[in-house]
Amino acid sequence: MAPLQDIFEGKIDFIGQRRVDSIARVALAACTIASFVVGYALQSLRVTMGTFALSTLLVVVMVVPPWPMYNRHPVRWRKD
Amino acid sequence: MHSALARINNVSSLFSTCLMVLLAAVALSSLFVTADPKGRIDVVSLKVYNAKAKRYPFKEQEFGFVKFDVDADLTPLFNWNTKQLFVYLEAEYANSQGVNNTIVLWDRIVSRKEDAHVVVSSGRNKYKLKELYESFKNTSPATFSLKYNVMPYVGLLTYGEAARTDGQEIPEARDAIA
């Protein structure tokens, strides 16, 4: 039961949390601008919405699961 | 950001904000387009007949019948944010009481840029041309105008006029040939 709960909790350490926060913010802002520019250049609203949806999916895959790279700095508890 | 659920919450709220900014940008990008296409209307014939109103079997009513030619190239109105154009032909006149009336006689929905060059030869009015006071006597001359409504995917509806004729006298009613 406990391993299942751990899987769903998806805990990451504090450095990882900070990294995930900045990745999500930068990536989404950049993808908004990029998808508008690309769609405007190609004069196709489908391209804009498509690239925006795909990039959001990419961000979700990169940020939500607890990848091991976000657990590289675990909290060091005191021994006593 | 401590748990997966917190990250999902965070990313989804950021995503909705970005989506709204993107849609606002798309709407603004097509709002200040200065396309002003013009066309031409020719009213081939305008006839008025006496008839019975459909709803009230004993009520006399005068109906107008318009035959027209339209030629308007509306392709400049199609940009990336245009979903469809609603093109309509209107008749405007002031009736015997002095009230201005505007009647839509014919319309068409243009969904693709290829169909945007509207050419109608010998079109007939789709909708009934009738006056509230049942007779077209003593009404001012009628002007016919071709107007369009640009419907975007995201944004405000915009209207415009592509052509307008001079005033034409609405003729005397005659009885239909039996």
PDB file of all heavy atoms in Angstrom, chain A residues 9-12 17 20-21 25 32 36 39-40 43 45 48-49 52 56 63-64, chain B residues 1-4 7-8 11 14-15 18-19 22-23 25-26 29 79-81 153:
ATOM      1  N   GLU A   9       2.230  10.091  -4.863  1.00  0.00           N
ATOM      2  CA  GLU A   9       2.584  11.382  -4.280  1.00  0.00           C
ATOM      3  C   GLU A   9       3.621  12.103  -5.124  1.00  0.00           C
ATOM      4  O   GLU A   9       3.558  13.297  -5.334  1.00  0.00           O
ATOM      5  CB  GLU A   9       3.101  11.187  -2.856  1.00  0.00           C
ATOM      6  CG  GLU A   9       3.182  12.509  -2.117  1.00  0.00           C
ATOM      7  CD  GLU A   9       3.876  12.364  -0.786  1.00  0.00           C
ATOM      8  OE1 GLU A   9       4.126  11.203  -0.384  1.00  0.00           O
ATOM      9  OE2 GLU A   9       4.183  13.380  -0.177  1.00  0.00           O
ATOM     10  N   GLY A  10       4.594  11.338  -5.637  1.00  0.00           N
ATOM     11  CA  GLY A  10       5.584  11.929  -6.536  1.00  0.00           C
ATOM     12  C   GLY A  10       6.397  13.009  -5.885  1.00  0.00           C
ATOM     13  O   GLY A  10       6.502  14.131  -6.384  1.00  0.00           O
ATOM     14  N   LYS A  11       7.021  12.697  -4.751  1.00  0.00           N
ATOM     15  CA  LYS A  11       7.750  13.728  -4.019  1.00  0.00           C
ATOM     16  C   LYS A  11       9.069  14.028  -4.682  1.00  0.00           C
ATOM     17  O   LYS A  11       9.736  13.145  -5.205  1.00  0.00           O
ATOM     18  CB  LYS A  11       8.002  13.190  -2.603  1.00  0.00           C
ATOM     19  CG  LYS A  11       8.271  14.270  -1.592  1.00  0.00           C
ATOM     20  CD  LYS A  11       8.742  13.684  -0.286  1.00  0.00           C
ATOM     21  CE  LYS A  11       7.634  12.887   0.355  1.00  0.00           C
ATOM     22  NZ  LYS A  11       7.804  12.805   1.807  1.00  0.00           N
ATOM     23  N   ILE A  12       9.426  15.315  -4.713  1.00  0.00           N
ATOM     24  CA  ILE A  12      10.761  15.697  -5.180  1.00  0.00           C
ATOM     25  C   ILE A  12      11.373  16.642  -4.159  1.00  0.00           C
ATOM     26  O   ILE A  12      10.653  17.277  -3.387  1.00  0.00           O
ATOM     27  CB  ILE A  12      10.712  16.375  -6.566  1.00  0.00           C
ATOM     28  CG1 ILE A  12       9.756  17.561  -6.583  1.00  0.00           C
ATOM     29  CG2 ILE A  12      10.294  15.384  -7.631  1.00  0.00           C
ATOM     30  CD1 ILE A  12       9.716  18.264  -7.917  1.00  0.00           C
ATOM     31  N   GLN A  17      12.157  21.161  -6.730  1.00  0.00           N
ATOM     32  CA  GLN A  17      10.933  21.947  -6.816  1.00  0.00           C
ATOM     33  C   GLN A  17      11.183  23.317  -7.428  1.00  0.00           C
ATOM     34  O   GLN A  17      10.404  23.813  -8.243  1.00  0.00           O
ATOM     35  CB  GLN A  17      10.327  22.119  -5.421  1.00  0.00           C
ATOM     36  CG  GLN A  17       9.699  20.851  -4.896  1.00  0.00           C
ATOM     37  CD  GLN A  17       9.190  21.026  -3.485  1.00  0.00           C
ATOM     38  OE1 GLN A  17       8.778  22.132  -3.119  1.00  0.00           O
ATOM     39  NE2 GLN A  17       9.205  19.965  -2.704  1.00  0.00           N
ATOM     40  N   VAL A  20      11.733  22.855 -11.154  1.00  0.00           N
ATOM     41  CA  VAL A  20      10.478  22.535 -11.847  1.00  0.00           C
ATOM     42  C   VAL A  20       9.647  23.794 -12.014  1.00  0.00           C
ATOM     43  O   VAL A  20       9.048  24.041 -13.069  1.00  0.00           O
ATOM     44  CB  VAL A  20       9.731  21.455 -11.044  1.00  0.00           C
ATOM     45  CG1 VAL A  20       8.251  21.590 -11.193  1.00  0.00           C
ATOM     46  CG2 VAL A  20      10.148  20.080 -11.487  1.00  0.00           C
ATOM     47  N   ASP A  21       9.613  24.635 -10.990  1.00  0.00           N
ATOM     48  CA  ASP A  21       8.842  25.879 -11.052  1.00  0.00           C
ATOM     49  C   ASP A  21       9.345  26.772 -12.178  1.00  0.00           C
ATOM     50  O   ASP A  21       8.572  27.278 -12.993  1.00  0.00           O
ATOM     51  CB  ASP A  21       8.962  26.588  -9.707  1.00  0.00           C
ATOM     52  CG  ASP A  21       8.040  27.777  -9.613  1.00  0.00           C
ATOM     53  OD1 ASP A  21       6.975  27.750 -10.252  1.00  0.00           O
ATOM     54  OD2 ASP A  21       8.383  28.748  -8.919  1.00  0.00           O
ATOM     55  N   ARG A  25       7.382  27.769 -15.806  1.00  0.00           N
ATOM     56  CA  ARG A  25       7.038  29.153 -16.131  1.00  0.00           C
ATOM     57  C   ARG A  25       7.687  29.600 -17.428  1.00  0.00           C
ATOM     58  O   ARG A  25       7.045  30.157 -18.330  1.00  0.00           O
ATOM     59  CB  ARG A  25       7.506  30.078 -14.995  1.00  0.00           C
ATOM     60  CG  ARG A  25       6.345  30.562 -14.183  1.00  0.00           C
ATOM     61  CD  ARG A  25       6.750  31.634 -13.249  1.00  0.00           C
ATOM     62  NE  ARG A  25       7.210  31.066 -11.986  1.00  0.00           N
ATOM     63  CZ  ARG A  25       7.865  31.752 -11.068  1.00  0.00           C
ATOM     64  NH1 ARG A  25       8.171  33.004 -11.270  1.00  0.00           N
ATOM     65  NH2 ARG A  25       8.236  31.185  -9.948  1.00  0.00           N
ATOM     66  N   THR A  32       3.978  30.113 -25.566  1.00  0.00           N
ATOM     67  CA  THR A  32       2.880  30.985 -25.976  1.00  0.00           C
ATOM     68  C   THR A  32       3.350  31.921 -27.082  1.00  0.00           C
ATOM     69  O   THR A  32       2.722  32.033 -28.138  1.00  0.00           O
ATOM     70  CB  THR A  32       2.392  31.831 -24.786  1.00  0.00           C
ATOM     71  OG1 THR A  32       2.247  31.015 -23.663  1.00  0.00           O
ATOM     72  CG2 THR A  32       1.085  32.500 -25.103  1.00  0.00           C
ATOM     73  N   PHE A  36       2.289  31.761 -31.167  1.00  0.00           N
ATOM     74  CA  PHE A  36       1.639  32.902 -31.822  1.00  0.00           C
ATOM     75  C   PHE A  36       2.434  33.342 -33.042  1.00  0.00           C
ATOM     76  O   PHE A  36       1.887  33.573 -34.121  1.00  0.00           O
ATOM     77  CB  PHE A  36       1.500  34.069 -30.844  1.00  0.00           C
ATOM     78  CG  PHE A  36       0.879  35.280 -31.454  1.00  0.00           C
ATOM     79  CD1 PHE A  36      -0.481  35.345 -31.668  1.00  0.00           C
ATOM     80  CD2 PHE A  36       1.650  36.363 -31.846  1.00  0.00           C
ATOM     81  CE1 PHE A  36      -1.064  36.453 -32.245  1.00  0.00           C
ATOM     82  CE2 PHE A  36       1.073  37.481 -32.416  1.00  0.00           C
ATOM     83  CZ  PHE A  36      -0.287  37.522 -32.624  1.00  0.00           C
ATOM     84  N   GLY A  39       2.265  30.698 -35.899  1.00  0.00           N
ATOM     85  CA  GLY A  39       0.945  30.674 -36.521  1.00  0.00           C
ATOM     86  C   GLY A  39       0.679  31.917 -37.342  1.00  0.00           C
ATOM     87  O   GLY A  39       0.107  31.844 -38.426  1.00  0.00           O
ATOM     88  N   TYR A  40       1.109  33.077 -36.852  1.00  0.00           N
ATOM     89  CA  TYR A  40       0.897  34.321 -37.583  1.00  0.00           C
ATOM     90  C   TYR A  40       1.690  34.324 -38.874  1.00  0.00           C
ATOM     91  O   TYR A  40       1.223  34.786 -39.908  1.00  0.00           O
ATOM     92  CB  TYR A  40       1.306  35.515 -36.713  1.00  0.00           C
ATOM     93  CG  TYR A  40       0.816  36.821 -37.250  1.00  0.00           C
ATOM     94  CD1 TYR A  40      -0.525  37.163 -37.159  1.00  0.00           C
ATOM     95  CD2 TYR A  40       1.679  37.728 -37.843  1.00  0.00           C
ATOM     96  CE1 TYR A  40      -0.989  38.358 -37.640  1.00  0.00           C
ATOM     97  CE2 TYR A  40       1.224  38.928 -38.334  1.00  0.00           C
ATOM     98  CZ  TYR A  40      -0.104  39.241 -38.230  1.00  0.00           C
ATOM     99  OH  TYR A  40      -0.574  40.432 -38.721  1.00  0.00           O
ATOM    100  N   GLN A  43      -0.029  32.083 -41.132  1.00  0.00           N
ATOM    101  CA  GLN A  43      -1.440  32.479 -41.274  1.00  0.00           C
ATOM    102  C   GLN A  43      -2.381  31.296 -41.053  1.00  0.00           C
ATOM    103  O   GLN A  43      -3.320  31.087 -41.803  1.00  0.00           O
ATOM    104  CB  GLN A  43      -1.687  33.107 -42.656  1.00  0.00           C
ATOM    105  CG  GLN A  43      -1.178  34.521 -42.741  1.00  0.00           C
ATOM    106  CD  GLN A  43      -2.004  35.483 -41.894  1.00  0.00           C
ATOM    107  OE1 GLN A  43      -3.203  35.566 -42.039  1.00  0.00           O
ATOM    108  NE2 GLN A  43      -1.363  36.185 -40.969  1.00  0.00           N
ATOM    109  N   LEU A  45      -4.475  29.398 -37.844  1.00  0.00           N
ATOM    110  CA  LEU A  45      -4.798  29.317 -36.418  1.00  0.00           C
ATOM    111  C   LEU A  45      -4.609  27.901 -35.909  1.00  0.00           C
ATOM    112  O   LEU A  45      -4.299  27.671 -34.748  1.00  0.00           O
ATOM    113  CB  LEU A  45      -6.245  29.764 -36.210  1.00  0.00           C
ATOM    114  CG  LEU A  45      -6.593  30.274 -34.828  1.00  0.00           C
ATOM    115  CD1 LEU A  45      -5.827  31.516 -34.513  1.00  0.00           C
ATOM    116  CD2 LEU A  45      -8.068  30.529 -34.727  1.00  0.00           C
ATOM    117  N   THR A  48      -1.104  27.496 -34.662  1.00  0.00           N
ATOM    118  CA  THR A  48      -0.916  28.117 -33.344  1.00  0.00           C
ATOM    119  C   THR A  48      -1.430  27.220 -32.231  1.00  0.00           C
ATOM    120  O   THR A  48      -0.715  26.907 -31.277  1.00  0.00           O
ATOM    121  CB  THR A  48      -1.666  29.458 -33.303  1.00  0.00           C
ATOM    122  OG1 THR A  48      -1.082  30.336 -34.254  1.00  0.00           O
ATOM    123  CG2 THR A  48      -1.585  30.086 -31.945  1.00  0.00           C
ATOM    124  N   MET A  49      -2.702  26.793 -32.380  1.00  0.00           N
ATOM    125  CA  MET A  49      -3.289  26.001 -31.301  1.00  0.00           C
ATOM    126  C   MET A  49      -2.604  24.657 -31.173  1.00  0.00           C
ATOM    127  O   MET A  49      -2.441  24.131 -30.073  1.00  0.00           O
ATOM    128  CB  MET A  49      -4.788  25.825 -31.554  1.00  0.00           C
ATOM    129  CG  MET A  49      -5.546  27.117 -31.379  1.00  0.00           C
ATOM    130  SD  MET A  49      -5.108  27.856 -29.817  1.00  0.00           S
ATOM    131  CE  MET A  49      -5.967  29.350 -29.812  1.00  0.00           C
ATOM    132  N   PHE A  52       0.746  25.063 -29.447  1.00  0.00           N
ATOM    133  CA  PHE A  52       0.549  25.377 -28.037  1.00  0.00           C
ATOM    134  C   PHE A  52       0.148  24.137 -27.255  1.00  0.00           C
ATOM    135  O   PHE A  52       0.639  23.882 -26.148  1.00  0.00           O
ATOM    136  CB  PHE A  52      -0.511  26.475 -27.891  1.00  0.00           C
ATOM    137  CG  PHE A  52      -0.654  26.997 -26.502  1.00  0.00           C
ATOM    138  CD1 PHE A  52       0.404  27.608 -25.862  1.00  0.00           C
ATOM    139  CD2 PHE A  52      -1.845  26.875 -25.810  1.00  0.00           C
ATOM    140  CE1 PHE A  52       0.289  28.092 -24.575  1.00  0.00           C
ATOM    141  CE2 PHE A  52      -1.979  27.355 -24.523  1.00  0.00           C
ATOM    142  CZ  PHE A  52      -0.909  27.960 -23.903  1.00  0.00           C
ATOM    143  N   THR A  56       2.426  22.322 -24.348  1.00  0.00           N
ATOM    144  CA  THR A  56       1.913  22.136 -22.986  1.00  0.00           C
ATOM    145  C   THR A  56       2.044  20.691 -22.547  1.00  0.00           C
ATOM    146  O   THR A  56       2.430  20.402 -21.400  1.00  0.00           O
ATOM    147  CB  THR A  56       0.433  22.539 -22.904  1.00  0.00           C
ATOM    148  OG1 THR A  56       0.287  23.851 -23.390  1.00  0.00           O
ATOM    149  CG2 THR A  56      -0.073  22.456 -21.495  1.00  0.00           C
ATOM    150  N   VAL A  63       7.489  17.962 -16.181  1.00  0.00           N
ATOM    151  CA  VAL A  63       7.408  18.566 -14.856  1.00  0.00           C
ATOM    152  C   VAL A  63       6.673  17.694 -13.840  1.00  0.00           C
ATOM    153  O   VAL A  63       7.078  17.621 -12.686  1.00  0.00           O
ATOM    154  CB  VAL A  63       6.725  19.955 -14.992  1.00  0.00           C
ATOM    155  CG1 VAL A  63       6.155  20.429 -13.692  1.00  0.00           C
ATOM    156  CG2 VAL A  63       7.717  20.956 -15.524  1.00  0.00           C
ATOM    157  N   VAL A  64       5.609  17.021 -14.262  1.00  0.00           N
ATOM    158  CA  VAL A  64       4.739  16.360 -13.274  1.00  0.00           C
ATOM    159  C   VAL A  64       5.305  15.052 -12.709  1.00  0.00           C
ATOM    160  O   VAL A  64       5.314  14.879 -11.497  1.00  0.00           O
ATOM    161  CB  VAL A  64       3.324  16.141 -13.855  1.00  0.00           C
ATOM    162  CG1 VAL A  64       2.495  15.262 -12.959  1.00  0.00           C
ATOM    163  CG2 VAL A  64       2.635  17.466 -14.064  1.00  0.00           C
TER     164      VAL A  64
ATOM    165  N   MET B   1       4.617  22.480  -5.055  1.00  0.00           N
ATOM    166  CA  MET B   1       5.356  21.638  -6.005  1.00  0.00           C
ATOM    167  C   MET B   1       5.887  20.399  -5.325  1.00  0.00           C
ATOM    168  O   MET B   1       6.729  19.720  -5.846  1.00  0.00           O
ATOM    169  CB  MET B   1       6.524  22.406  -6.625  1.00  0.00           C
ATOM    170  CG  MET B   1       6.138  23.700  -7.244  1.00  0.00           C
ATOM    171  SD  MET B   1       4.978  23.498  -8.554  1.00  0.00           S
ATOM    172  CE  MET B   1       5.879  24.118  -9.935  1.00  0.00           C
ATOM    173  N   HIS B   2       5.418  20.166  -4.089  1.00  0.00           N
ATOM    174  CA  HIS B   2       5.971  19.065  -3.324  1.00  0.00           C
ATOM    175  C   HIS B   2       5.437  17.723  -3.779  1.00  0.00           C
ATOM    176  O   HIS B   2       6.075  16.702  -3.599  1.00  0.00           O
ATOM    177  CB  HIS B   2       5.662  19.269  -1.840  1.00  0.00           C
ATOM    178  CG  HIS B   2       4.194  19.506  -1.612  1.00  0.00           C
ATOM    179  ND1 HIS B   2       3.312  18.488  -1.389  1.00  0.00           N
ATOM    180  CD2 HIS B   2       3.463  20.649  -1.586  1.00  0.00           C
ATOM    181  CE1 HIS B   2       2.087  18.993  -1.237  1.00  0.00           C
ATOM    182  NE2 HIS B   2       2.161  20.293  -1.354  1.00  0.00           N
ATOM    183  N   SER B   3       4.253  17.697  -4.368  1.00  0.00           N
ATOM    184  CA  SER B   3       3.691  16.427  -4.815  1.00  0.00           C
ATOM    185  C   SER B   3       3.236  16.589  -6.254  1.00  0.00           C
ATOM    186  O   SER B   3       3.108  17.686  -6.774  1.00  0.00           O
ATOM    187  CB  SER B   3       2.498  16.024  -3.944  1.00  0.00           C
ATOM    188  OG  SER B   3       1.412  16.870  -4.207  1.00  0.00           O
ATOM    189  N   ALA B   4       2.992  15.438  -6.884  1.00  0.00           N
ATOM    190  CA  ALA B   4       2.576  15.473  -8.284  1.00  0.00           C
ATOM    191  C   ALA B   4       1.291  16.273  -8.452  1.00  0.00           C
ATOM    192  O   ALA B   4       1.116  17.022  -9.419  1.00  0.00           O
ATOM    193  CB  ALA B   4       2.400  14.054  -8.814  1.00  0.00           C
ATOM    194  N   ARG B   7       1.965  19.879  -8.510  1.00  0.00           N
ATOM    195  CA  ARG B   7       2.562  20.306  -9.782  1.00  0.00           C
ATOM    196  C   ARG B   7       1.522  20.385 -10.886  1.00  0.00           C
ATOM    197  O   ARG B   7       1.525  21.306 -11.717  1.00  0.00           O
ATOM    198  CB  ARG B   7       3.698  19.359 -10.165  1.00  0.00           C
ATOM    199  CG  ARG B   7       4.891  19.484  -9.234  1.00  0.00           C
ATOM    200  CD  ARG B   7       6.103  18.843  -9.832  1.00  0.00           C
ATOM    201  NE  ARG B   7       6.037  17.382  -9.877  1.00  0.00           N
ATOM    202  CZ  ARG B   7       6.276  16.601  -8.842  1.00  0.00           C
ATOM    203  NH1 ARG B   7       6.584  17.108  -7.664  1.00  0.00           N
ATOM    204  NH2 ARG B   7       6.193  15.283  -8.960  1.00  0.00           N
ATOM    205  N   ILE B   8       0.596  19.409 -10.883  1.00  0.00           N
ATOM    206  CA  ILE B   8      -0.480  19.449 -11.879  1.00  0.00           C
ATOM    207  C   ILE B   8      -1.309  20.717 -11.688  1.00  0.00           C
ATOM    208  O   ILE B   8      -1.646  21.427 -12.658  1.00  0.00           O
ATOM    209  CB  ILE B   8      -1.379  18.208 -11.759  1.00  0.00           C
ATOM    210  CG1 ILE B   8      -0.633  16.968 -12.227  1.00  0.00           C
ATOM    211  CG2 ILE B   8      -2.626  18.376 -12.614  1.00  0.00           C
ATOM    212  CD1 ILE B   8      -1.433  15.705 -12.052  1.00  0.00           C
ATOM    213  N   VAL B  11       0.759  23.777 -12.926  1.00  0.00           N
ATOM    214  CA  VAL B  11       0.917  23.840 -14.384  1.00  0.00           C
ATOM    215  C   VAL B  11      -0.412  24.155 -15.052  1.00  0.00           C
ATOM    216  O   VAL B  11      -0.473  24.912 -16.026  1.00  0.00           O
ATOM    217  CB  VAL B  11       1.510  22.521 -14.923  1.00  0.00           C
ATOM    218  CG1 VAL B  11       1.427  22.481 -16.429  1.00  0.00           C
ATOM    219  CG2 VAL B  11       2.947  22.379 -14.493  1.00  0.00           C
ATOM    220  N   LEU B  14      -1.179  27.876 -14.753  1.00  0.00           N
ATOM    221  CA  LEU B  14      -0.279  28.629 -15.640  1.00  0.00           C
ATOM    222  C   LEU B  14      -0.712  28.471 -17.094  1.00  0.00           C
ATOM    223  O   LEU B  14      -0.719  29.422 -17.879  1.00  0.00           O
ATOM    224  CB  LEU B  14       1.138  28.096 -15.449  1.00  0.00           C
ATOM    225  CG  LEU B  14       2.285  29.056 -15.702  1.00  0.00           C
ATOM    226  CD1 LEU B  14       2.164  30.228 -14.775  1.00  0.00           C
ATOM    227  CD2 LEU B  14       3.598  28.344 -15.451  1.00  0.00           C
ATOM    228  N   PHE B  15      -1.105  27.238 -17.435  1.00  0.00           N
ATOM    229  CA  PHE B  15      -1.552  26.960 -18.803  1.00  0.00           C
ATOM    230  C   PHE B  15      -2.786  27.774 -19.157  1.00  0.00           C
ATOM    231  O   PHE B  15      -2.892  28.326 -20.251  1.00  0.00           O
ATOM    232  CB  PHE B  15      -1.830  25.462 -18.934  1.00  0.00           C
ATOM    233  CG  PHE B  15      -2.663  25.092 -20.125  1.00  0.00           C
ATOM    234  CD1 PHE B  15      -2.128  25.133 -21.392  1.00  0.00           C
ATOM    235  CD2 PHE B  15      -3.978  24.707 -19.981  1.00  0.00           C
ATOM    236  CE1 PHE B  15      -2.891  24.794 -22.493  1.00  0.00           C
ATOM    237  CE2 PHE B  15      -4.746  24.367 -21.066  1.00  0.00           C
ATOM    238  CZ  PHE B  15      -4.205  24.409 -22.327  1.00  0.00           C
ATOM    239  N   CYS B  18      -1.800  31.394 -19.799  1.00  0.00           N
ATOM    240  CA  CYS B  18      -1.115  31.540 -21.089  1.00  0.00           C
ATOM    241  C   CYS B  18      -2.094  31.400 -22.241  1.00  0.00           C
ATOM    242  O   CYS B  18      -2.002  32.121 -23.241  1.00  0.00           O
ATOM    243  CB  CYS B  18      -0.006  30.494 -21.216  1.00  0.00           C
ATOM    244  SG  CYS B  18       1.422  30.861 -20.213  1.00  0.00           S
ATOM    245  N   LEU B  19      -3.046  30.480 -22.107  1.00  0.00           N
ATOM    246  CA  LEU B  19      -4.030  30.291 -23.174  1.00  0.00           C
ATOM    247  C   LEU B  19      -4.858  31.551 -23.370  1.00  0.00           C
ATOM    248  O   LEU B  19      -5.125  31.978 -24.487  1.00  0.00           O
ATOM    249  CB  LEU B  19      -4.937  29.109 -22.830  1.00  0.00           C
ATOM    250  CG  LEU B  19      -5.984  28.738 -23.873  1.00  0.00           C
ATOM    251  CD1 LEU B  19      -5.302  28.241 -25.112  1.00  0.00           C
ATOM    252  CD2 LEU B  19      -6.919  27.685 -23.330  1.00  0.00           C
ATOM    253  N   LEU B  22      -2.830  34.120 -25.137  1.00  0.00           N
ATOM    254  CA  LEU B  22      -2.683  33.765 -26.551  1.00  0.00           C
ATOM    255  C   LEU B  22      -3.943  34.123 -27.322  1.00  0.00           C
ATOM    256  O   LEU B  22      -3.889  34.713 -28.405  1.00  0.00           O
ATOM    257  CB  LEU B  22      -2.391  32.272 -26.666  1.00  0.00           C
ATOM    258  CG  LEU B  22      -2.167  31.723 -28.072  1.00  0.00           C
ATOM    259  CD1 LEU B  22      -0.935  32.332 -28.663  1.00  0.00           C
ATOM    260  CD2 LEU B  22      -2.031  30.217 -28.034  1.00  0.00           C
ATOM    261  N   LEU B  23      -5.119  33.790 -26.789  1.00  0.00           N
ATOM    262  CA  LEU B  23      -6.366  34.083 -27.488  1.00  0.00           C
ATOM    263  C   LEU B  23      -6.601  35.586 -27.600  1.00  0.00           C
ATOM    264  O   LEU B  23      -7.089  36.073 -28.617  1.00  0.00           O
ATOM    265  CB  LEU B  23      -7.543  33.417 -26.769  1.00  0.00           C
ATOM    266  CG  LEU B  23      -7.552  31.896 -26.837  1.00  0.00           C
ATOM    267  CD1 LEU B  23      -8.723  31.335 -26.053  1.00  0.00           C
ATOM    268  CD2 LEU B  23      -7.613  31.415 -28.258  1.00  0.00           C
ATOM    269  N   ALA B  25      -4.248  37.794 -27.828  1.00  0.00           N
ATOM    270  CA  ALA B  25      -3.338  38.264 -28.872  1.00  0.00           C
ATOM    271  C   ALA B  25      -3.902  37.964 -30.253  1.00  0.00           C
ATOM    272  O   ALA B  25      -3.847  38.797 -31.156  1.00  0.00           O
ATOM    273  CB  ALA B  25      -1.963  37.596 -28.706  1.00  0.00           C
ATOM    274  N   VAL B  26      -4.474  36.762 -30.426  1.00  0.00           N
ATOM    275  CA  VAL B  26      -5.058  36.406 -31.727  1.00  0.00           C
ATOM    276  C   VAL B  26      -6.214  37.354 -32.061  1.00  0.00           C
ATOM    277  O   VAL B  26      -6.334  37.843 -33.183  1.00  0.00           O
ATOM    278  CB  VAL B  26      -5.541  34.946 -31.718  1.00  0.00           C
ATOM    279  CG1 VAL B  26      -6.355  34.652 -32.946  1.00  0.00           C
ATOM    280  CG2 VAL B  26      -4.375  33.998 -31.634  1.00  0.00           C
ATOM    281  N   SER B  29      -4.938  40.739 -33.047  1.00  0.00           N
ATOM    282  CA  SER B  29      -4.187  40.788 -34.297  1.00  0.00           C
ATOM    283  C   SER B  29      -5.093  40.992 -35.496  1.00  0.00           C
ATOM    284  O   SER B  29      -4.653  41.484 -36.516  1.00  0.00           O
ATOM    285  CB  SER B  29      -3.393  39.488 -34.479  1.00  0.00           C
ATOM    286  OG  SER B  29      -4.263  38.444 -34.851  1.00  0.00           O
ATOM    287  N   ASN B  79      -8.648  36.604 -43.081  1.00  0.00           N
ATOM    288  CA  ASN B  79      -7.312  36.465 -42.500  1.00  0.00           C
ATOM    289  C   ASN B  79      -7.309  35.198 -41.648  1.00  0.00           C
ATOM    290  O   ASN B  79      -8.275  34.437 -41.661  1.00  0.00           O
ATOM    291  CB  ASN B  79      -6.950  37.709 -41.685  1.00  0.00           C
ATOM    292  CG  ASN B  79      -8.037  38.069 -40.706  1.00  0.00           C
ATOM    293  OD1 ASN B  79      -8.538  37.211 -39.982  1.00  0.00           O
ATOM    294  ND2 ASN B  79      -8.440  39.324 -40.676  1.00  0.00           N
ATOM    295  N   TRP B  80      -6.224  34.995 -40.891  1.00  0.00           N
ATOM    296  CA  TRP B  80      -6.100  33.719 -40.171  1.00  0.00           C
ATOM    297  C   TRP B  80      -7.173  33.555 -39.107  1.00  0.00           C
ATOM    298  O   TRP B  80      -7.483  32.457 -38.670  1.00  0.00           O
ATOM    299  CB  TRP B  80      -4.705  33.578 -39.567  1.00  0.00           C
ATOM    300  CG  TRP B  80      -4.409  34.451 -38.397  1.00  0.00           C
ATOM    301  CD1 TRP B  80      -4.848  35.731 -38.199  1.00  0.00           C
ATOM    302  CD2 TRP B  80      -3.601  34.139 -37.274  1.00  0.00           C
ATOM    303  NE1 TRP B  80      -4.343  36.220 -37.015  1.00  0.00           N
ATOM    304  CE2 TRP B  80      -3.574  35.261 -36.427  1.00  0.00           C
ATOM    305  CE3 TRP B  80      -2.875  33.002 -36.897  1.00  0.00           C
ATOM    306  CZ2 TRP B  80      -2.870  35.286 -35.227  1.00  0.00           C
ATOM    307  CZ3 TRP B  80      -2.174  33.032 -35.706  1.00  0.00           C
ATOM    308  CH2 TRP B  80      -2.183  34.167 -34.888  1.00  0.00           C
ATOM    309  N   ASN B  81      -7.768  34.697 -38.689  1.00  0.00           N
ATOM    310  CA  ASN B  81      -8.740  34.636 -37.618  1.00  0.00           C
ATOM    311  C   ASN B  81     -10.176  34.725 -38.120  1.00  0.00           C
ATOM    312  O   ASN B  81     -11.084  34.958 -37.349  1.00  0.00           O
ATOM    313  CB  ASN B  81      -8.457  35.783 -36.637  1.00  0.00           C
ATOM    314  CG  ASN B  81      -9.141  35.607 -35.319  1.00  0.00           C
ATOM    315  OD1 ASN B  81      -9.570  34.516 -34.984  1.00  0.00           O
ATOM    316  ND2 ASN B  81      -9.290  36.681 -34.563  1.00  0.00           N
ATOM    317  N   TYR B 153     -12.677  33.630 -35.376  1.00  0.00           N
ATOM    318  CA  TYR B 153     -12.592  32.490 -34.462  1.00  0.00           C
ATOM    319  C   TYR B 153     -12.571  33.004 -33.024  1.00  0.00           C
ATOM    320  O   TYR B 153     -13.280  32.498 -32.157  1.00  0.00           O
ATOM    321  CB  TYR B 153     -11.325  31.680 -34.726  1.00  0.00           C
ATOM    322  CG  TYR B 153     -11.435  30.775 -35.921  1.00  0.00           C
ATOM    323  CD1 TYR B 153     -10.745  31.046 -37.090  1.00  0.00           C
ATOM    324  CD2 TYR B 153     -12.222  29.637 -35.873  1.00  0.00           C
ATOM    325  CE1 TYR B 153     -10.847  30.220 -38.183  1.00  0.00           C
ATOM    326  CE2 TYR B 153     -12.330  28.803 -36.969  1.00  0.00           C
ATOM    327  CZ  TYR B 153     -11.639  29.098 -38.123  1.00  0.00           C
ATOM    328  OH  TYR B 153     -11.749  28.275 -39.204  1.00  0.00           O
TER     329      TYR B 153
END
